[in-house]
Amino acid sequence: MSGNHPADLNEEAEQNDERDTLDRIETDTDRDERPDRDGTRETGTPGGDGTGAHTCVPPSGGWNWSDGYELPKQPQKADLEPHPVVWDLRQQLTKIEAGDPANPGEAVSPTASTILKVINRSFSRPEGAMDFRFIRVSAHEVDLVEKWRPILAEHDGLRGMAQLIIHRKRDEKNADKDYIPVPRDSIRGAFGLRPQKSGDQTQALLLLWTYRALVDSKLEWSDYADGHCRRITNHGTPEEIMDEATSFFLDRQGKKSVLFMKGDVSRPTKVDFRQDCFEKLDGKRRRADDAEVTPPGESQRIIKYLNNLTRDARSPGRDVYTELAHNVQNGVDALMEAAERGSEVYNKGIRQSITNLRRFQDMPFMLYQAGNRTPRPTPVGANHLVGVDSKAIPPMLGDRHVALDLSKAQLAMFARVAEGEYDVDMSTTSQALASHLDDSEDFDMWESMREALDMQAGEAEEYAVKRGTYSAVYGASENTIMHNASKEIAERTRYDYPDREKVNGLLDHPVIEEVLTAREEAYEQIKQHERDGDYTTDAFGRVLDRNTFVDADDSELSGEQPEISKAKRGEITDKAARSLLSYIVQSVEVKTMWPVFEAAIEERQRDGEDRWRVMLYKYDEVILWVRYEQQVETYANHATSLVRDHADKYDIQTRLDVEYTPV
């Protein structure tokens, strides 16, 4: 395959986060409306100009349509010399390249006539269409693309397809495979078409053939491999273009930035576009009444507070968000330094983190919505910083930012729930957490667990024991706990997966042993509550129904409960019990963070001149913005004291630590 692919810069479009496509851009396939065909055509070889698109010569006797000339599902498996559909498309190339409409009436083949009607209607998108437009690339890339194929300067549909190929990510599961996944609706979206819902609509396969005939004769693809997703296995986009796309993705410094689908834009247009994107995302976010489990009132107030900050910050200027956006390159550089440890590290998570950072850089605002089966406010849109690798955040902070993080949050919340709600002995865990928080004691929780490993893997050991601990808290089997810990080591070092005996000691750590016992007891009590008609409540005293979690989609739960995303869900006896317990633990977390937001809301309501704000919420972490640099420490201490008072009141062994300040 040609070139290295930057991360997916257009996933917003295929997830319909920013989509306002054409109203059913389809064509009439009634052959009776077409002119009669006599099956003859003047011979010749169109396109013999070195453009690289297909050439074909019709047979001397013309084509007999009774023979049928269907386009094959895969071009690499058929002899396309000659082929009437390709011929018809190529005959119209000069017109389309000049920005003129094609003439479907001149087509010999009914299929080509259908395609040419779509080509005419997808020349340009209507006002307000969002497909792909927000993807920023270098001006040099646009120049290279338009010089390679001038038709891409004129036709939005074909240009959208080019962008899909150049900037489409290789998904995490198949990151090391030599193909580009292209879902059916992503192909249609590139041409401004709505997702396919019936057989009467133009097939994505025909659009692939259109691109191959008019732009890239080297384009090859597979049959459907994953649902309605094909794989582009080869393309002829010049290496120079692919290299420029990757270079700009990794480092924008000193390069002019433009929108791929629109070229350069003026500042007012950029502001209008940003405003339009905000309104679209705001209209799509899940409201509390739409959630399967209505989030607590405190969570709803957090969402309102955070979204109002974004609403106020949509205008241009050096506000709390654009300052972070200005420093995105610093975050990308930090991630690329980490990626130097190996390609697997890059493919696993850093690639996607860089993608999100670039999206945030282009759209520096963040929206939250009600979780469906979590009390946590959840992010909306792929330009969000929630989920970005933590290494990227410190270099992005300005002089008036500070990041605060709950210490051993998941373990502390679980211990509180197991002991307080289910009367399970968690004395070993509670004592270990207390010792960790006591500065007079020389004890570090993660260090004690690292000592249980029989290996030397540097900082990767800490990631391994953290992942193993979270897997234990959220229901993974012992095999999965060991697998997840080993995977962290393999991904963060240049080594292969360690032998199982080198990480088995983690299961023998007294805290892990206690957690494994406690969680099973909690699951049994949750199921017993259902049998006996008793109630299960969250940290806010709200009654929860286990049946609400029975039919939950696994992928949705993984997204809303990321701590358990790597656990093999078939390995526990009751998914609903585990998910419900996770909800309860998360509700303790939200309640613990609430005093910080309550104070921030009061600050905003006082006189509108916020001295400080919570500008980013990342579950057990927040980033504060402070108006005056000399008061950063003051308000950081204020926030930590609020959480300390709450933790003391409810006997939760955690605190809000200063995780990092500007570097």
Side-chain angles (χ1 to χ4, degrees):
M1 176 175 292
S2 173
N4 297 318
H5 295 267
D8 179 15
L9 301 182
N10 58 16
E11 193 170 333
E12 284 280 349
E14 70 187 61
Q15 292 178 343
N16 294 328
D17 283 340
E18 304 287 2
R19 174 163 292 171
D20 184 12
T21 51
L22 297 170
D23 291 331
R24 191 176 172 82
I25 306 180
E26 305 301 340
T27 58
D28 183 6
T29 57
D30 184 358
R31 297 186 181 185
D32 292 336
E33 293 185 5
R34 296 193 178 89
D36 293 336
R37 304 297 182 205
D38 60 7
T40 62
R41 185 87 187 211
E42 180 181 353
T43 61
T45 305
D49 56 0
T51 62
H54 282 296
T55 61
C56 61
V57 181
S60 58
W63 285 297
N64 182 355
W65 282 103
S66 63
D67 294 340
Y69 283 93
E70 293 186 1
L71 286 164
K73 292 183 178 180
Q74 296 174 250
Q76 57 269 35
K77 293 185 178 180
D79 180 9
L80 300 177
E81 303 292 346
H83 197 288
V85 176
V86 174
W87 165 271
D88 280 335
L89 294 177
R90 289 287 296 158
Q91 284 291 89
Q92 302 293 323
L93 175 61
T94 303
K95 288 183 179 180
I96 301 171
E97 199 168 68
D100 297 328
N103 188 347
E106 295 180 355
V108 170
S109 62
T111 298
S113 180
T114 295
I115 292 173
L116 289 172
K117 290 181 181 180
V118 175
I119 285 293
N120 285 345
R121 295 193 182 189
S122 60
F123 245 111
S124 60
R125 286 169 171 74
E127 184 68 25
M130 295 294 179
D131 295 305
F132 309 110
R133 291 199 321 176
F134 72 94
I135 301 177
R136 300 198 74 83
V137 301
S138 71
H140 183 50
E141 177 186 330
V142 171
D143 290 341
L144 292 173
V145 166
E146 294 179 353
K147 288 178 181 177
W148 170 54
R149 293 288 185 264
I151 194 172
L152 298 178
E154 301 296 335
H155 195 281
D156 277 358
L158 295 171
R159 190 182 183 99
M161 190 64 203
Q163 179 180 279
L164 184 65
I165 292 172
I166 296 170
H167 294 282
R168 170 73 179 163
K169 91 166 185 180
R170 301 170 188 171
D171 57 14
E172 179 180 305
K173 178 181 178 182
N174 300 300
D176 58 341
K177 304 291 180 62
D178 195 21
Y179 62 78
I180 308 170
V182 282
R184 177 182 67 185
D185 289 340
S186 294
I187 297 169
R188 290 175 55 80
F191 284 84
L193 303 178
R194 290 186 181 279
Q196 188 164 335
K197 296 183 182 299
S198 71
D200 294 334
Q201 295 172 298
T202 305
Q203 296 179 354
L205 177 64
L206 298 184
L207 300 176
L208 286 174
W209 271 107
T210 301
Y211 189 83
R212 177 181 168 100
L214 299 178
V215 179
D216 185 359
S217 65
K218 295 182 179 179
L219 188 71
E220 297 180 354
W221 56 85
S222 71
D223 199 354
Y224 285 134
D226 304 295
H228 294 296
C229 181
R230 298 182 189 272
R231 298 169 176 177
I232 291 179
T233 55
N234 190 64
H235 64 91
T237 310
E239 291 283 354
E240 186 179 11
I241 294 175
M242 303 305 297
D243 291 344
E244 175 62 21
T246 301
S247 175
F248 184 77
F249 175 66
L250 298 177
D251 189 354
R252 296 186 178 185
Q253 300 291 352
K255 298 180 181 179
K256 183 179 180 181
S257 172
V258 299
L259 295 174
F260 188 97
M261 292 303 297
K262 195 175 180 181
D264 199 6
V265 295
S266 64
R267 183 170 176 273
T269 304
K270 186 187 298 185
V271 173
D272 291 343
F273 175 69
R274 185 178 296 179
Q275 184 97 349
D276 201 5
C277 287
F278 173 88
E279 297 299 339
K280 292 287 183 181
L281 283 178
D282 188 52
K284 293 177 71 66
R285 66 183 178 87
R286 185 188 301 111
R287 268 57 179 181
D289 293 342
D290 299 326
E292 291 291 334
V293 181
T294 302
E298 289 81 352
S299 180
Q300 296 180 46
R301 292 185 67 189
I302 291 173
I303 293 171
K304 181 178 179 180
Y305 168 81
L306 291 168
N307 288 350
N308 281 342
L309 287 183
T310 284
R311 187 174 293 277
D312 294 344
R314 283 173 297 167
S315 59
R318 298 284 295 174
D319 56 44
V320 291
Y321 297 111
T322 53
E323 186 171 6
L324 287 183
H326 180 75
N327 295 330
V328 159
Q329 187 59 51
N330 296 336
V332 173
D333 291 344
L335 293 180
M336 289 306 299
E337 182 179 350
E340 290 178 358
R341 287 193 290 265
S343 60
E344 189 173 5
V345 175
Y346 176 72
N347 286 329
K348 180 58 184 173
I350 288 180
R351 178 200 298 268
Q352 188 59 46
S353 289
I354 294 176
T355 300
N356 287 12
L357 287 174
R358 291 307 187 195
R359 290 170 177 154
F360 173 76
Q361 184 176 13
D362 297 334
M363 292 291 167
F365 58 73
M366 289 174 285
L367 282 172
Y368 293 82
Q369 65 181 351
N372 203 32
R373 290 182 175 87
T374 177
R376 292 167 163 173
T378 59
V380 181
N383 65 325
H384 218 289
L385 295 182
V386 172
V388 168
D389 192 293
S390 59
K391 291 183 178 65
I393 301 301
M396 294 170 56
L397 296 181
D399 294 335
R400 295 177 294 167
H401 297 141
V402 59
L404 306 171
D405 179 71
L406 285 175
S407 175
K408 312 299 176 289
Q410 306 311 315
L411 195 56
M413 306 305 161
F414 176 82
R416 172 65 182 83
V417 170
E419 206 163 41
E421 301 300 324
Y422 300 107
D423 198 26
V424 179
D425 179 26
M426 294 294 294
S427 57
T428 299
T429 303
S430 296
Q431 181 55 52
L433 288 167
S435 297
H436 179 86
L437 296 176
D438 189 344
D439 294 333
S440 66
E441 294 193 32
D442 185 20
F443 178 81
D444 181 275
M445 174 73 80
W446 300 136
E447 184 61 33
S448 73
M449 291 186 177
R450 288 176 62 175
E451 293 174 356
L453 304 179
D454 182 22
M455 62 185 309
Q456 299 293 324
E459 67 173 5
E461 296 174 28
E462 182 167 326
Y463 286 98
V465 299
K466 285 181 179 180
R467 175 54 59 189
T469 300
Y470 296 153
S471 299
V473 166
Y474 288 101
S477 70
E478 293 186 4
N479 281 337
T480 300
I481 293 170
M482 294 298 93
H483 170 78
N484 290 344
S486 299
K487 190 176 180 67
E488 289 291 335
I489 292 173
E491 289 177 354
R492 296 178 184 278
T493 66
R494 295 183 182 274
Y495 309 117
D496 293 330
Y497 279 71
D499 294 335
R500 184 59 59 91
E501 58 267 19
K502 294 195 176 289
V503 293
N504 273 346
L506 183 60
L507 294 176
D508 298 326
H509 191 281
V511 169
I512 300 299
E513 285 186 328
E514 190 170 68
V515 167
L516 294 177
T517 301
R519 71 181 193 185
E520 298 305 321
E521 177 61 29
Y523 295 149
E524 287 303 316
Q525 290 193 41
I526 288 172
K527 290 183 284 186
Q528 189 65 39
H529 286 175
E530 182 184 19
R531 290 192 290 267
D532 296 345
D534 292 337
Y535 296 114
T536 299
T537 59
D538 66 9
F540 298 93
R542 304 178 317 133
V543 176
L544 301 174
D545 184 354
R546 174 175 162 274
N547 290 324
T548 307
F549 298 88
V550 170
D551 298 325
D553 180 74
D554 281 358
S555 61
E556 176 192 311
L557 289 175
S558 293
E560 295 194 333
Q561 300 171 355
E563 296 85 0
I564 61 175
S565 61
K566 295 185 180 180
K568 297 179 180 178
R569 296 184 179 276
E571 294 180 340
I572 65 168
T573 57
D574 195 307
K575 179 181 72 175
R578 183 179 72 168
S579 297
L580 190 150
L581 181 61
S582 298
Y583 188 101
I584 296 171
V585 171
Q586 290 175 348
S587 72
V588 177
E589 174 195 272
V590 172
K591 189 172 183 178
T592 302
M593 297 296 276
W594 167 243
V596 178
F597 283 97
E598 186 176 32
I601 293 171
E602 291 175 356
E603 173 69 21
R604 166 145 278 226
Q605 293 174 342
R606 183 170 62 172
D607 56 13
E609 297 293 330
D610 304 14
R611 281 75 174 171
W612 65 285
R613 299 171 182 166
V614 181
M615 60 165 293
L616 176 61
Y617 164 73
K618 296 180 66 179
Y619 308 143
D620 57 1
E621 178 184 340
V622 291
I623 294 180
L624 306 185
W625 169 89
V626 181
R627 185 171 297 277
Y628 303 109
E629 180 181 348
Q630 61 271 27
Q631 293 183 331
V632 169
E633 184 177 357
T634 298
Y635 287 108
N637 290 338
H638 178 51
T640 58
S641 67
L642 292 171
V643 171
R644 181 177 61 248
D645 292 344
H646 176 89
D648 290 344
K649 179 179 179 180
Y650 291 97
D651 194 24
I652 304 172
Q653 299 292 337
T654 190
R655 69 185 177 204
L656 196 61
D657 289 331
V658 176
E659 185 70 10
Y660 38 71
T661 53
V663 295

